[in-house]
Amino acid sequence: MTTKEKRAAEDTKQPPVRRRDKERTRREILEIAFAEFAENGLAGGNTDAIAARANVTKRLIFYYFNTKEELFTAVLEMAYAKMRIAEQDLHLEALEPEAAIRRLAEFTFDFDQANPEYVRLVTIENIHRGRHIRASKKLKEMTRPIVSQIAAVLDRGVGAGVIRPGIDPVELHMSLNALCFFSVANRHTFEAQFAADMSSQKAKAQRRVEIADLLWRYVRNDQGAAKSAASKS
Amino acid sequence: MTTKEKRAAEDTKQPPVRRRDKERTRREILEIAFAEFAENGLAGGNTDAIAARANVTKRLIFYYFNTKEELFTAVLEMAYAKMRIAEQDLHLEALEPEAAIRRLAEFTFDFDQANPEYVRLVTIENIHRGRHIRASKKLKEMTRPIVSQIAAVLDRGVGAGVIRPGIDPVELHMSLNALCFFSVANRHTFEAQFAADMSSQKAKAQRRVEIADLLWRYVRNDQGAAKSAASKS
DNA sequence: GATATAATTATCCCGTTGGATAATTATAAT
DNA sequence: ATTATAATTATCCAACGGGATAATTATATC
């Protein structure tokens, strides 16, 4: 019976369910640590809690990651890698310039909304003045192809005469990120101060198009006859 | 000699230099606590350190503020009050709509740049999901007249036909804050990822006009002949 | 089946830190 | 001057938490 179940489980996964699995253990610790740090920050993040939630002894954390700081760095590396992968689903090449810009804006907005823990983690790293991201060789080598994607869209748009020349893709990316990031990161204080709604589905949907609009109005060429689709409520 | 100096000191301040001064002690603790929390966060902020830097016994902190959390809340209240006061120097009434919008943008940008500790504190409060700002009666009652100032500018601009109708002043304030806040709050990770410069005087000056531009392009009326001064490098 | 290796556990440790207890003393009111 | 009040200090404490030591055991290799 027990043996039967065991065998069944073993059949599912090719390498028989090993109690000792370096990769799996590492990954599970990382996953839990991500949640823990995103929730409570670096100082607030508790290694005892991580160990408990990951079903490992605390010692294992230090066995694999040496110190809490290094664990945090590893978490950051994982988070950024995931984001990088997500950005690859973003295909702007096939779209008209305006559609591409709007797609870009909505994609970024959706990503931040869907991954508040990521937003929190980045925020926390900034509180620490980016010292982990700066110290991580892996993170420094990790390129973010999204900027070249943006650059390509801008170039195409300028060529077609619908986007004005001289826009720096990094600056554009920064503006977009600022707008989307803020909607998640600063939600609580902003809502409290201005009795604004940034949490309901309706408010988010509105904000989403608002940001796309903002971005498009910023890049579009208004010299001569700018035939734009930017009209809404 | 000593008496002389003492007397001199007493002459300077009307109420003779009191060793026991409720108000002064409270204020000094708050000031140091502000720096400490902005630097190290709520969990990372150390009451021993605050006591030492403020030249008081730790007990005094709890005597006046009961708990660390309440001290943090008091710090928040002070910070927001200061910001509110700063906003009163912003006189948009006398300016043409476009000038007013640009002034607003630059003022906000400058404030965040000049007060990174404030930016950090707000960030930290958001990491804690705004639970202190929400719990503070004082903060809930503290209005932020800046929104009505913005609303007034928008109204005037719409009346003059230079600003398009339908813009929500709170949304505009949010967008502007997002852009300015990000430039300070997310500087470290953004610089690390995109090898961008957000710290040099030159980069800041550029970003400042860029944001003003962005905002103006967003609100200006482009129906009919929009005579705008929005041209730059 | 014996052995070596490395993944994992059980336990302990000690510096840190919010906060509590109780004594002290400057100041204002009488 | 005396007294009452309240601001301030001196000490202590117990829980927490990062990390270290050493023992254990599953697994791969021979």
Side-chain angles (χ1 to χ4, degrees), chain B residues 29-41:
Chain B
I29 291 175
L30 266 184
E31 216 71 55
I32 301 289
F34 172 69
E36 174 76 10
F37 284 132
E39 186 58 37
N40 302 315

Side-chain angles (χ1 to χ4, degrees), chain A residues 29-30 51 55 57 68 72 79 81-82 97-99 109-110 114 126 163 182 212 220 223 231:
Chain A
I29 291 175
L30 266 185
N55 278 314
T57 316
K68 194 184 177 185
F72 183 81
K82 279 188 184 176
E98 178 171 352
F109 186 84
D110 291 344
N126 275 291
I163 290 179
F182 190 93
R220 69 178 178 180
Q223 303 293 77
S231 62

Side-chain angles (χ1 to χ4, degrees), chain A residues 86-107:
Chain A
E87 284 171 1
Q88 289 173 352
D89 287 343
L90 178 64
H91 292 292
L92 303 180
E93 319 85 46
L95 299 173
E96 294 283 301
E98 178 171 352
I101 293 291
R102 290 183 183 275
R103 167 83 186 275
L104 170 69
E106 288 163 1
F107 170 86

Side-chain angles (χ1 to χ4, degrees), chain A residues 35-214:
Chain A
E36 173 75 11
F37 284 132
E39 185 59 37
N40 302 315
L42 179 50
N46 184 309
T47 55
D48 276 314
I50 294 171
R53 288 171 59 189
N55 278 314
V56 295
T57 316
K58 185 165 60 164
R59 180 69 246 268
L60 269 195
I61 295 175
F62 295 95
Y63 180 67
Y64 285 113
F65 299 98
N66 300 317
T67 67
K68 194 184 177 185
E69 294 259 323
E70 285 180 54
L71 173 60
F72 183 81
T73 303
V75 165
L76 265 184
E77 288 167 352
M78 184 188 69
Y80 273 112
K82 279 188 184 176
M83 182 177 35
R84 206 192 114 99
I85 288 170
E87 284 171 1
Q88 289 173 352
D89 287 343
L90 178 64
H91 292 292
L92 303 180
E93 319 85 46
L95 299 173
E96 294 283 301
E98 178 171 352
I101 293 291
R102 290 183 183 275
R103 167 83 186 275
L104 170 69
E106 288 163 1
F107 170 86
T108 306
F109 186 84
D110 291 344
F111 183 88
D112 286 357
Q113 291 291 335
N115 299 283
E117 336 79 39
Y118 154 79
V119 169
R120 293 173 64 89
L121 195 71
V122 171
T123 299
I124 288 161
E125 172 64 357
N126 275 291
I127 286 294
H128 293 279
R129 299 208 163 80
R131 76 165 181 267
H132 309 92
I133 200 178
R134 236 182 298 116
S136 162
K137 205 173 166 242
K138 210 173 290 184
L139 280 171
K140 266 195 289 199
E141 287 170 355
M142 193 183 295
T143 63
R144 287 286 292 278
I146 194 167
V147 173
S148 28
Q149 285 192 65
I150 295 174
V153 171
L154 290 176
D155 280 349
R156 263 196 303 129
V158 171
V162 294
I163 290 179
R164 67 189 169 91
I167 295 171
D168 179 3
V170 172
E171 288 253 331
L172 187 66
H173 182 58
M174 193 194 303
S175 298
L176 175 56
N177 256 44
L179 292 164
C180 296
F181 202 92
F182 190 93
S183 288
V184 176
N186 287 50
R187 180 178 295 175
H188 304 98
T189 55
F190 199 90
E191 283 186 336
Q193 280 178 95
F194 301 104
D197 171 18
M198 300 167 74
S199 301
S200 75
Q201 279 313 114
K202 191 181 163 196
K204 287 183 201 169
Q206 260 178 250
R207 189 68 190 151
R208 196 174 108 117
V209 309
E210 195 77 4
I211 289 174
D213 236 60
L214 191 54

Side-chain angles (χ1 to χ4, degrees), chain A residues 144 193 210 218 220 222, chain B residues 144 193 210 218 220 222:
Chain A
R144 287 286 292 278
Q193 280 178 95
E210 195 77 4
Y218 177 60
R220 69 178 178 180
D222 50 354
Chain B
R144 287 285 292 279
Q193 281 177 95
E210 195 77 4
Y218 178 60
R220 69 177 177 179
D222 50 356

